[in-house]
Amino acid sequence: MVLPINESVRILYRRSSAYPYEYAVMLQVMNGDGWETVIVCDNSHEGERWDDSVDDHHYHRYSGGKKRSPESLPFEASTTNEAMAKAIEWFADDWEELIS
């Protein structure tokens, strides 16, 4: 699902299902080559999971098109749906600061 902020900034999110166990919420900016992810909140690391339980909510910043190491979210979230909702709200409220 795409949530436009303006013509050059958007929030894009993906989830595993209606009641997701995996998700990614991305803040993206338009550049000359298309949409570029600036920061992503997620709980999924394909190939790094030991089982089907994924609940390590965190975020990654991007630098030079490369994903950096995970960092703790600036908010508490106990469920996947709560983490997604709070990530979308964080990006919508603070996008100017996050993309600078």
Side-chain angles (χ1 to χ4, degrees):
M1 163 116 347
V2 177
L3 306 168
I5 293 175
N6 60 39
E7 64 280 344
S8 61
V9 180
R10 71 182 186 181
I11 298 168
L12 174 71
Y13 71 88
R14 297 177 185 208
R15 59 187 179 194
S16 58
S17 63
Y19 299 100
Y21 58 91
E22 290 183 329
Y23 71 94
V25 177
M26 296 161 268
L27 181 63
Q28 298 181 322
V29 297
M30 176 62 81
N31 67 24
D33 297 325
W35 291 102
E36 177 181 301
T37 300
V38 176
I39 186 171
V40 61
C41 290
D42 67 17
N43 70 339
S44 175
H45 287 276
E46 191 170 323
E48 295 179 24
R49 284 198 314 267
W50 294 65
D51 57 29
D52 288 337
S53 63
V54 181
D55 59 6
D56 180 27
H57 307 288
H58 54 267
Y59 74 94
H60 304 266
R61 293 191 182 272
Y62 279 72
S63 178
K66 297 195 185 256
K67 187 191 281 189
R68 295 160 94 192
S69 297
E71 299 179 51
S72 297
L73 293 173
F75 52 81
E76 294 291 321
S78 59
T79 68
T80 299
N81 281 330
E82 180 183 23
M84 287 181 64
K86 287 184 174 183
I88 291 168
E89 182 178 359
W90 177 36
F91 290 174
D93 290 346
D94 298 335
W95 67 271
E96 290 175 296
E97 177 184 325
L98 293 167
I99 66 171
S100 60

XYZ file of all heavy atoms in Angstrom:
818
model
N 0.837 -1.167 0.000
C 0.000 0.000 0.000
C 0.885 1.233 0.000
O 1.899 1.273 0.675
C -0.920 -0.023 1.216
C -1.525 1.294 1.519
S -3.294 1.638 1.432
C -4.131 0.390 0.627
N 0.510 2.235 -0.768
C 1.264 3.476 -0.881
C 0.459 4.607 -0.242
O -0.724 4.783 -0.534
C 1.557 3.821 -2.355
C 2.267 5.152 -2.464
C 2.374 2.713 -3.008
N 1.114 5.368 0.629
C 0.516 6.529 1.267
C 1.328 7.754 0.869
O 2.394 7.999 1.427
C 0.514 6.362 2.791
C -0.128 5.086 3.327
C 0.184 4.895 4.795
C -1.622 5.125 3.088
N 0.874 8.535 -0.126
C 1.647 9.694 -0.559
C 1.633 10.811 0.479
O 0.590 11.100 1.065
C 0.957 10.131 -1.847
C -0.362 9.465 -1.867
C -0.333 8.343 -0.898
N 2.787 11.413 0.714
C 2.887 12.596 1.567
C 2.820 13.827 0.681
O 2.110 14.775 0.964
C 4.179 12.562 2.409
C 4.082 11.413 3.418
C 4.404 13.893 3.100
C 5.309 11.178 4.234
N 3.573 13.795 -0.403
C 3.507 14.810 -1.455
C 4.006 14.152 -2.736
O 4.176 12.934 -2.773
C 4.274 16.092 -1.073
C 5.743 15.857 -0.810
O 6.397 15.067 -1.503
N 6.287 16.511 0.207
N 4.265 14.931 -3.776
C 4.654 14.326 -5.058
C 6.039 13.681 -5.042
O 6.355 12.866 -5.913
C 4.560 15.351 -6.199
C 5.500 16.531 -6.077
C 5.024 17.621 -5.116
O 3.841 17.650 -4.737
O 5.869 18.437 -4.720
N 6.854 13.989 -4.029
C 8.204 13.424 -4.006
C 8.541 12.640 -2.745
O 9.671 12.204 -2.571
C 9.240 14.536 -4.223
O 9.149 15.490 -3.182
N 7.558 12.448 -1.865
C 7.773 11.680 -0.635
C 6.555 10.783 -0.426
O 5.419 11.225 -0.592
C 7.958 12.605 0.590
C 8.169 11.786 1.868
C 9.120 13.564 0.389
N 6.825 9.525 -0.061
C 5.722 8.607 0.193
C 6.109 7.589 1.255
O 7.291 7.371 1.543
C 5.311 7.878 -1.078
C 6.325 6.844 -1.557
C 5.885 6.190 -2.841
N 6.783 5.101 -3.229
C 6.624 4.384 -4.318
N 5.612 4.640 -5.151
N 7.461 3.409 -4.597
N 5.081 6.980 1.807
C 5.241 5.856 2.724
C 4.700 4.643 1.989
O 3.591 4.678 1.459
C 4.471 6.080 4.030
C 5.003 7.317 4.763
C 4.558 4.838 4.924
C 4.123 7.784 5.906
N 5.491 3.603 1.937
C 5.097 2.357 1.292
C 5.169 1.269 2.353
O 6.142 1.216 3.106
C 6.062 2.043 0.149
C 5.908 0.703 -0.561
C 4.637 0.691 -1.405
C 7.120 0.431 -1.437
N 4.127 0.444 2.439
C 4.236 -0.659 3.377
C 3.766 -1.958 2.753
O 2.948 -1.973 1.847
C 3.512 -0.378 4.698
C 2.007 -0.374 4.654
C 1.284 -1.544 4.828
C 1.301 0.807 4.492
C -0.101 -1.546 4.826
C -0.079 0.825 4.491
C -0.779 -0.353 4.658
O -2.145 -0.350 4.647
N 4.358 -3.015 3.252
C 4.048 -4.380 2.822
C 3.921 -5.233 4.060
O 4.629 -5.024 5.037
C 5.152 -4.928 1.925
C 5.275 -4.121 0.661
C 6.392 -4.580 -0.192
N 6.468 -3.648 -1.310
C 6.914 -3.956 -2.487
N 7.353 -5.156 -2.734
N 6.940 -3.061 -3.437
N 3.014 -6.185 3.986
C 2.818 -7.085 5.119
C 2.518 -8.484 4.611
O 2.072 -8.658 3.473
C 1.725 -6.580 6.035
C 0.400 -6.437 5.347
C -0.601 -5.788 6.244
N -1.867 -5.652 5.528
C -2.846 -4.922 5.919
N -2.738 -4.233 7.029
N -3.954 -4.854 5.235
N 2.733 -9.450 5.460
C 2.587 -10.846 5.052
C 1.138 -11.255 4.868
O 0.853 -12.177 4.100
C 3.256 -11.761 6.082
O 2.688 -11.548 7.362
N 0.199 -10.596 5.557
C -1.219 -10.957 5.481
C -2.037 -9.882 6.180
O -1.483 -8.903 6.682
C -1.452 -12.311 6.147
O -1.122 -12.236 7.520
N -3.350 -10.061 6.234
C -4.217 -9.107 6.933
C -3.860 -9.024 8.418
O -3.979 -7.971 9.034
C -5.675 -9.499 6.769
N -3.447 -10.137 8.995
C -2.952 -10.178 10.367
C -1.478 -10.569 10.283
O -1.114 -11.729 10.474
C -3.752 -11.182 11.200
C -5.210 -10.801 11.276
C -6.150 -11.422 10.471
C -5.616 -9.787 12.132
C -7.487 -11.050 10.524
C -6.948 -9.403 12.183
C -7.880 -10.042 11.372
O -9.186 -9.663 11.426
N -0.629 -9.594 9.954
C 0.749 -9.900 9.563
C 1.631 -10.400 10.695
O 1.487 -10.005 11.835
C 1.266 -8.559 9.052
C 0.456 -7.549 9.773
C -0.899 -8.163 9.966
N 2.555 -11.269 10.322
C 3.640 -11.647 11.217
C 4.943 -11.033 10.726
O 5.891 -10.906 11.477
C 3.759 -13.170 11.371
C 3.985 -13.921 10.079
C 5.268 -14.174 9.631
C 2.907 -14.360 9.316
C 5.473 -14.854 8.446
C 3.107 -15.048 8.140
C 4.398 -15.283 7.700
O 4.600 -15.943 6.520
N 4.996 -10.635 9.454
C 6.143 -9.912 8.900
C 5.635 -8.659 8.204
O 4.561 -8.668 7.611
C 6.890 -10.755 7.872
C 7.638 -11.910 8.452
C 8.429 -12.659 7.388
O 8.013 -12.699 6.223
O 9.478 -13.193 7.746
N 6.447 -7.597 8.270
C 6.058 -6.344 7.626
C 7.299 -5.508 7.319
O 8.380 -5.747 7.864
C 5.113 -5.530 8.524
C 5.831 -4.950 9.724
C 6.356 -3.666 9.701
C 6.031 -5.713 10.871
C 7.051 -3.154 10.782
C 6.719 -5.216 11.950
C 7.218 -3.927 11.904
O 7.911 -3.433 12.974
N 7.092 -4.513 6.488
C 8.098 -3.477 6.237
C 7.341 -2.195 5.925
O 6.422 -2.192 5.109
C 9.007 -3.855 5.079
N 7.717 -1.106 6.592
C 7.159 0.219 6.344
C 8.332 1.084 5.906
O 9.299 1.233 6.648
C 6.481 0.809 7.601
C 5.968 2.213 7.321
C 5.366 -0.092 8.101
N 8.260 1.628 4.683
C 9.379 2.361 4.104
C 9.026 3.827 3.866
O 7.940 4.126 3.362
C 9.772 1.735 2.768
C 10.276 0.321 2.907
S 10.230 -0.583 1.343
C 8.608 -1.324 1.487
N 9.920 4.715 4.200
C 9.816 6.127 3.836
C 10.695 6.304 2.612
O 11.890 5.986 2.650
C 10.281 7.027 4.976
C 10.189 8.529 4.718
C 8.737 8.961 4.499
C 10.802 9.299 5.879
N 10.096 6.771 1.522
C 10.819 6.879 0.255
C 10.739 8.290 -0.303
O 9.753 8.996 -0.087
C 10.237 5.906 -0.773
C 10.355 4.459 -0.358
C 9.801 3.510 -1.403
O 8.805 3.780 -2.045
N 10.484 2.381 -1.575
N 11.795 8.660 -1.032
C 11.833 9.945 -1.732
C 12.099 9.692 -3.213
O 12.772 8.729 -3.583
C 12.907 10.892 -1.158
C 12.600 11.252 0.289
C 14.291 10.302 -1.263
N 11.555 10.557 -4.037
C 11.775 10.469 -5.479
C 13.089 11.159 -5.808
O 13.340 12.282 -5.362
C 10.620 11.142 -6.222
C 10.807 11.192 -7.726
S 10.895 9.571 -8.501
C 9.174 9.171 -8.619
N 13.934 10.466 -6.544
C 15.153 11.090 -7.052
C 15.176 10.903 -8.563
O 14.209 10.412 -9.139
C 16.410 10.523 -6.362
C 16.667 9.072 -6.700
O 16.244 8.556 -7.732
N 17.382 8.391 -5.827
N 16.232 11.230 -9.206
C 16.322 11.133 -10.661
C 16.163 9.729 -11.211
O 15.797 9.552 -12.365
N 16.411 8.724 -10.398
C 16.327 7.329 -10.844
C 15.045 6.627 -10.401
O 14.882 5.446 -10.639
C 17.524 6.541 -10.311
C 18.842 7.053 -10.862
O 18.867 7.484 -12.027
O 19.830 7.031 -10.115
N 14.160 7.331 -9.695
C 12.933 6.715 -9.198
C 12.849 6.825 -7.683
O 13.501 7.674 -7.071
N 12.060 5.965 -7.074
C 11.864 5.995 -5.626
C 13.043 5.351 -4.903
O 13.498 4.284 -5.272
C 10.573 5.277 -5.251
C 9.359 6.020 -5.694
C 8.587 5.748 -6.778
C 8.810 7.183 -5.090
N 7.577 6.668 -6.878
C 7.687 7.561 -5.848
C 9.145 7.950 -3.976
C 6.901 8.671 -5.529
C 8.363 9.047 -3.658
C 7.258 9.396 -4.423
N 13.517 6.046 -3.873
C 14.656 5.579 -3.078
C 14.226 5.486 -1.614
O 13.669 6.442 -1.066
C 15.810 6.564 -3.211
C 17.014 6.238 -2.374
C 18.104 7.286 -2.550
O 18.562 7.480 -3.688
O 18.478 7.914 -1.543
N 14.483 4.360 -0.979
C 14.141 4.185 0.429
C 15.168 4.911 1.290
O 16.369 4.762 1.101
C 14.092 2.693 0.801
O 13.096 2.058 -0.008
C 13.766 2.491 2.266
N 14.657 5.689 2.256
C 15.492 6.446 3.180
C 15.606 5.715 4.520
O 16.659 5.660 5.127
C 14.912 7.860 3.397
C 15.702 8.638 4.435
C 14.832 8.621 2.093
N 14.477 5.163 4.959
C 14.421 4.464 6.247
C 13.315 3.419 6.163
O 12.305 3.630 5.481
C 14.195 5.467 7.405
C 14.272 4.799 8.761
C 12.912 6.230 7.225
C 14.284 5.787 9.936
N 13.507 2.306 6.827
C 12.501 1.240 6.847
C 12.365 0.695 8.266
O 13.361 0.485 8.948
C 12.840 0.095 5.857
C 14.152 -0.565 6.191
C 11.735 -0.931 5.793
N 11.124 0.521 8.701
C 10.828 -0.201 9.947
C 10.387 -1.591 9.527
O 9.589 -1.741 8.598
C 9.689 0.462 10.703
S 10.089 2.060 11.413
N 10.904 -2.597 10.195
C 10.499 -3.957 9.850
C 10.737 -4.910 11.017
O 11.196 -4.508 12.074
C 11.203 -4.448 8.585
C 12.704 -4.643 8.738
O 13.210 -4.714 9.868
O 13.385 -4.737 7.709
N 10.399 -6.147 10.772
C 10.683 -7.198 11.743
C 11.116 -8.466 11.015
O 11.038 -9.547 11.548
C 9.468 -7.485 12.623
C 8.334 -8.161 11.878
O 8.253 -8.086 10.657
N 7.448 -8.796 12.610
N 11.557 -8.303 9.801
C 11.860 -9.460 8.963
C 13.283 -9.407 8.450
O 13.713 -8.400 7.910
C 10.898 -9.486 7.779
O 11.238 -10.510 6.895
N 13.974 -10.505 8.605
C 15.307 -10.648 8.036
C 15.394 -12.013 7.390
O 15.760 -12.993 8.031
C 16.391 -10.472 9.094
C 16.524 -9.059 9.504
N 17.268 -8.161 8.817
C 15.948 -8.371 10.507
C 17.176 -6.980 9.397
N 16.368 -7.077 10.420
N 15.010 -12.054 6.135
C 14.985 -13.326 5.408
C 16.338 -14.009 5.512
O 17.379 -13.405 5.321
C 14.635 -13.075 3.951
C 14.336 -14.329 3.194
C 13.769 -14.038 1.823
O 13.005 -13.084 1.683
O 14.138 -14.778 0.904
N 16.299 -15.272 5.840
C 17.532 -16.037 5.952
C 18.187 -15.945 7.308
O 19.135 -16.653 7.582
N 17.691 -15.045 8.177
C 18.281 -14.876 9.495
C 17.385 -15.407 10.602
O 17.755 -15.381 11.751
C 18.588 -13.407 9.749
C 19.641 -12.852 8.812
C 19.917 -11.388 9.067
O 19.671 -10.916 10.187
O 20.385 -10.722 8.153
N 16.183 -15.850 10.263
C 15.238 -16.333 11.267
C 15.563 -17.766 11.655
O 15.958 -18.567 10.833
C 13.812 -16.282 10.728
C 13.244 -14.918 10.693
C 11.744 -14.985 10.572
N 11.298 -15.927 9.578
C 11.038 -15.615 8.317
N 11.188 -14.389 7.905
N 10.621 -16.528 7.477
N 15.324 -18.080 12.897
C 15.504 -19.445 13.386
C 14.190 -20.200 13.328
O 14.171 -21.416 13.294
C 16.005 -19.424 14.827
C 17.372 -18.847 14.944
C 17.746 -17.556 14.673
C 18.549 -19.516 15.332
N 19.072 -17.392 14.895
C 19.597 -18.590 15.307
C 18.820 -20.806 15.724
C 20.890 -18.923 15.647
C 20.110 -21.128 16.069
C 21.140 -20.194 16.020
N 13.069 -19.480 13.365
C 11.745 -20.098 13.333
C 10.757 -19.100 12.736
O 11.160 -18.098 12.181
C 11.313 -20.550 14.730
C 11.304 -19.406 15.733
O 11.090 -18.242 15.335
O 11.502 -19.687 16.921
N 9.462 -19.366 12.866
C 8.451 -18.496 12.285
C 8.075 -17.321 13.173
O 7.268 -16.488 12.785
C 7.184 -19.295 11.957
C 7.405 -20.208 10.765
O 8.306 -19.922 9.961
O 6.673 -21.205 10.648
N 8.605 -17.242 14.370
C 8.261 -16.126 15.254
C 9.172 -14.948 14.938
O 10.375 -15.021 15.088
C 8.400 -16.536 16.713
O 9.741 -16.859 17.005
N 8.562 -13.879 14.468
C 9.325 -12.684 14.102
C 8.711 -11.532 14.862
O 7.586 -11.146 14.597
C 9.248 -12.422 12.586
C 10.069 -11.202 12.214
C 9.724 -13.632 11.815
N 9.421 -11.002 15.836
C 8.851 -9.907 16.604
C 9.884 -8.879 17.031
O 9.637 -8.075 17.895
C 8.100 -10.435 17.822
C 8.987 -11.247 18.747
O 10.202 -11.314 18.512
O 8.446 -11.806 19.713
N 11.029 -8.891 16.423
C 12.080 -7.933 16.732
C 11.855 -6.676 15.888
O 12.432 -6.529 14.818
C 13.449 -8.554 16.459
C 14.580 -7.599 16.755
O 14.400 -6.701 17.601
O 15.634 -7.741 16.133
N 10.985 -5.795 16.364
C 10.666 -4.571 15.630
C 11.840 -3.595 15.737
O 12.344 -3.348 16.826
C 9.403 -3.938 16.201
C 8.254 -4.879 16.281
N 7.585 -5.314 15.167
C 7.679 -5.486 17.343
C 6.621 -6.139 15.543
N 6.668 -6.268 16.849
N 12.275 -3.057 14.614
C 13.427 -2.162 14.572
C 13.367 -1.336 13.288
O 12.438 -1.476 12.510
C 14.727 -2.965 14.636
C 14.792 -4.012 13.579
N 14.378 -5.308 13.782
C 15.174 -3.959 12.281
C 14.524 -6.005 12.670
N 14.999 -5.204 11.734
N 14.350 -0.473 13.095
C 14.426 0.261 11.834
C 15.845 0.275 11.315
O 16.804 0.036 12.053
C 13.863 1.683 11.964
C 14.727 2.674 12.711
C 15.620 3.500 12.031
C 14.634 2.815 14.091
C 16.396 4.432 12.709
C 15.395 3.742 14.775
C 16.276 4.544 14.078
O 17.048 5.453 14.743
N 15.945 0.545 10.011
C 17.232 0.683 9.330
C 17.210 1.984 8.557
O 16.228 2.293 7.882
C 17.444 -0.428 8.285
C 17.350 -1.808 8.791
N 18.450 -2.525 9.190
C 16.297 -2.641 8.952
C 18.066 -3.738 9.563
N 16.764 -3.826 9.425
N 18.276 2.724 8.617
C 18.462 3.866 7.721
C 19.215 3.355 6.497
O 19.894 2.339 6.557
C 19.255 4.968 8.400
C 18.496 5.602 9.546
C 19.190 6.861 10.027
N 18.491 7.427 11.140
C 17.489 8.294 11.046
N 17.077 8.675 9.857
N 16.901 8.765 12.116
N 19.089 4.073 5.413
C 19.827 3.748 4.200
C 20.842 4.845 3.955
O 20.569 6.018 4.179
C 18.890 3.649 2.992
C 18.177 2.336 2.895
C 17.157 2.007 3.778
C 18.524 1.400 1.935
C 16.493 0.795 3.700
C 17.871 0.185 1.846
C 16.853 -0.108 2.732
O 16.214 -1.303 2.647
N 22.006 4.468 3.493
C 23.057 5.412 3.158
C 23.701 4.943 1.861
O 24.177 3.808 1.778
C 24.104 5.464 4.273
O 25.147 6.339 3.950
N 23.671 5.790 0.846
C 24.237 5.414 -0.437
C 23.556 4.205 -1.044
O 24.192 3.416 -1.724
N 22.252 4.048 -0.771
C 21.502 2.923 -1.313
C 21.697 1.617 -0.570
O 21.152 0.600 -0.955
N 22.463 1.639 0.520
C 22.721 0.420 1.288
C 22.049 0.502 2.653
O 22.104 1.527 3.320
C 24.213 0.203 1.463
C 24.922 -0.005 0.141
C 26.293 -0.578 0.358
C 26.999 -0.653 -0.971
N 27.068 -1.962 -1.496
N 21.438 -0.617 3.047
C 20.774 -0.704 4.341
C 21.804 -0.803 5.444
O 22.722 -1.620 5.380
C 19.860 -1.930 4.367
C 18.995 -2.020 5.608
C 18.306 -3.355 5.758
C 17.108 -3.495 4.899
N 16.343 -4.724 5.228
N 21.648 0.044 6.465
C 22.541 0.015 7.614
C 22.016 -0.947 8.679
O 20.929 -1.474 8.565
C 22.678 1.424 8.165
C 23.362 2.347 7.136
C 23.103 3.781 7.402
N 24.163 4.378 8.195
C 24.058 5.576 8.750
N 22.956 6.261 8.634
N 25.060 6.070 9.430
N 22.790 -1.138 9.702
C 22.436 -2.053 10.794
C 21.150 -1.619 11.485
O 20.831 -0.430 11.525
C 23.560 -2.100 11.825
O 24.728 -2.617 11.239
N 20.415 -2.576 12.060
C 19.161 -2.233 12.731
C 19.380 -1.378 13.976
O 20.400 -1.501 14.653
C 18.569 -3.592 13.096
C 19.703 -4.546 13.092
C 20.701 -4.009 12.118
N 18.401 -0.513 14.229
C 18.388 0.344 15.417
C 17.047 0.174 16.114
O 16.053 -0.179 15.483
C 18.581 1.806 15.026
C 19.905 2.081 14.325
C 20.052 3.544 13.941
O 19.844 4.415 14.824
O 20.337 3.826 12.774
N 17.013 0.465 17.405
C 15.776 0.362 18.170
C 14.792 1.442 17.741
O 15.179 2.573 17.460
C 16.056 0.528 19.663
O 16.884 -0.513 20.118
N 13.524 1.067 17.707
C 12.479 2.024 17.361
C 12.372 3.097 18.448
O 12.640 2.819 19.619
C 11.135 1.310 17.226
C 11.013 0.336 16.066
C 9.691 -0.423 16.161
C 11.103 1.061 14.739
N 11.940 4.313 18.073
C 11.799 5.379 19.065
C 10.458 5.304 19.809
O 10.022 6.287 20.391
C 11.893 6.642 18.209
C 11.323 6.234 16.903
C 11.758 4.803 16.714
N 9.812 4.156 19.761
C 8.532 3.945 20.432
C 8.424 2.475 20.825
O 9.142 1.636 20.299
C 7.356 4.352 19.532
C 7.395 3.728 18.162
C 6.943 2.425 17.945
C 7.897 4.435 17.077
C 6.987 1.848 16.678
C 7.947 3.867 15.802
C 7.492 2.571 15.610
N 7.520 2.191 21.739
C 7.261 0.820 22.169
C 6.160 0.222 21.299
O 5.210 0.908 20.932
C 6.819 0.790 23.631
C 7.903 1.220 24.600
C 9.045 0.237 24.684
O 8.791 -0.987 24.647
O 10.197 0.680 24.776
N 6.274 -1.046 20.971
C 5.239 -1.760 20.226
C 5.260 -3.213 20.667
O 6.306 -3.848 20.647
C 5.489 -1.646 18.732
N 4.101 -3.722 21.020
C 4.045 -5.109 21.486
C 3.538 -6.065 20.421
O 3.785 -7.264 20.509
C 3.188 -5.215 22.750
O 1.877 -4.755 22.487
N 2.840 -5.554 19.406
C 2.330 -6.416 18.342
C 2.780 -5.892 16.988
O 3.174 -4.727 16.851
C 0.791 -6.479 18.344
O 0.276 -5.195 17.968
C 0.249 -6.897 19.698
N 2.678 -6.728 15.994
C 3.052 -6.326 14.640
C 2.152 -5.212 14.139
O 2.630 -4.223 13.579
C 2.990 -7.545 13.702
O 3.918 -8.517 14.181
C 3.354 -7.180 12.276
N 0.843 -5.327 14.329
C -0.073 -4.277 13.883
C 0.218 -2.947 14.572
O 0.175 -1.892 13.944
C -1.527 -4.685 14.100
C -2.022 -5.627 13.037
O -1.579 -5.585 11.898
N -2.944 -6.498 13.400
N 0.526 -2.990 15.856
C 0.854 -1.768 16.588
C 2.148 -1.159 16.052
O 2.237 0.059 15.865
C 0.980 -2.066 18.084
C 1.312 -0.837 18.907
C 1.506 -1.142 20.378
O 1.812 -2.310 20.735
O 1.375 -0.208 21.176
N 3.139 -1.986 15.798
C 4.415 -1.489 15.271
C 4.222 -0.839 13.905
O 4.773 0.231 13.638
C 5.428 -2.621 15.184
N 3.432 -1.476 13.044
C 3.178 -0.901 11.722
C 2.478 0.452 11.836
O 2.880 1.424 11.192
C 2.315 -1.847 10.882
C 3.034 -3.064 10.384
S 1.957 -4.113 9.390
C 1.607 -3.029 8.025
N 1.430 0.522 12.646
C 0.669 1.769 12.798
C 1.548 2.890 13.345
O 1.507 4.029 12.854
C -0.533 1.542 13.702
N 2.353 2.576 14.338
C 3.227 3.594 14.928
C 4.331 4.010 13.966
O 4.734 5.171 13.942
C 3.800 3.105 16.252
C 2.766 3.095 17.359
C 3.389 2.700 18.687
C 2.391 2.838 19.819
N 3.007 2.522 21.121
N 4.843 3.087 13.169
C 5.871 3.428 12.176
C 5.294 4.367 11.125
O 5.936 5.361 10.749
C 6.425 2.168 11.520
N 4.098 4.081 10.646
C 3.449 4.947 9.655
C 3.229 6.333 10.251
O 3.515 7.353 9.605
C 2.133 4.319 9.161
C 2.438 3.080 8.309
C 1.294 5.335 8.387
C 1.238 2.210 8.002
N 2.751 6.407 11.481
C 2.535 7.694 12.143
C 3.851 8.455 12.317
O 3.921 9.658 12.076
C 1.871 7.462 13.499
C 1.563 8.731 14.244
C 0.864 8.483 15.567
O 0.597 7.313 15.912
O 0.591 9.469 16.264
N 4.913 7.748 12.726
C 6.232 8.368 12.899
C 6.699 8.972 11.587
O 7.124 10.128 11.533
C 7.217 7.320 13.414
C 8.637 7.769 13.579
C 9.083 8.994 13.984
C 9.806 6.982 13.359
N 10.462 9.013 14.031
C 10.931 7.786 13.654
C 10.017 5.666 12.956
C 12.232 7.322 13.552
C 11.319 5.203 12.865
C 12.412 6.021 13.155
N 6.633 8.197 10.504
C 7.076 8.690 9.197
C 6.225 9.863 8.734
O 6.748 10.852 8.212
C 7.034 7.576 8.156
C 8.081 6.504 8.337
C 8.050 5.380 7.533
C 9.079 6.587 9.292
C 9.007 4.385 7.666
C 10.041 5.591 9.447
C 10.000 4.487 8.628
N 4.915 9.789 8.903
C 4.018 10.863 8.468
C 4.269 12.147 9.255
O 4.250 13.245 8.688
C 2.565 10.427 8.613
N 4.523 12.028 10.554
C 4.741 13.201 11.405
C 6.133 13.806 11.247
O 6.296 15.027 11.314
C 4.532 12.849 12.878
C 3.085 12.574 13.235
O 2.189 12.908 12.421
O 2.853 12.015 14.321
N 7.155 12.970 11.045
C 8.546 13.430 11.107
C 9.314 13.268 9.794
O 10.544 13.268 9.792
C 9.291 12.683 12.216
C 8.702 12.943 13.593
O 8.069 13.997 13.794
O 8.870 12.080 14.472
N 8.614 13.135 8.664
C 9.283 12.824 7.406
C 10.335 13.858 7.022
O 11.384 13.493 6.501
C 8.272 12.627 6.281
C 7.515 13.850 5.877
C 6.332 14.294 6.412
C 7.894 14.797 4.891
N 5.960 15.463 5.798
C 6.897 15.798 4.863
C 8.991 14.910 4.032
C 6.955 16.893 4.001
C 9.041 15.986 3.160
C 8.042 16.961 3.159
N 10.080 15.136 7.277
C 11.066 16.163 6.885
C 12.387 15.954 7.616
O 13.449 16.037 7.005
C 10.515 17.557 7.148
C 9.382 17.918 6.209
C 8.757 19.240 6.527
O 8.177 19.379 7.617
O 8.870 20.147 5.682
N 12.320 15.683 8.888
C 13.528 15.424 9.673
C 14.191 14.127 9.254
O 15.420 14.037 9.147
C 13.151 15.351 11.154
C 14.312 15.028 12.064
C 13.857 14.882 13.514
O 12.944 15.607 13.940
O 14.423 14.013 14.204
N 13.404 13.092 8.967
C 13.940 11.778 8.631
C 14.636 11.752 7.277
O 15.561 10.943 7.079
C 12.834 10.720 8.679
C 12.266 10.449 10.078
C 10.985 9.630 9.981
C 13.303 9.753 10.942
N 14.207 12.569 6.331
C 14.851 12.534 5.008
C 16.035 13.482 4.883
O 16.748 13.446 3.893
C 13.844 12.801 3.854
C 13.312 14.219 3.904
C 12.733 11.781 3.879
C 12.481 14.603 2.680
N 16.234 14.341 5.876
C 17.340 15.305 5.768
C 18.672 14.718 6.192
O 18.779 13.710 6.768
C 17.047 16.547 6.598
O 16.874 16.230 7.952
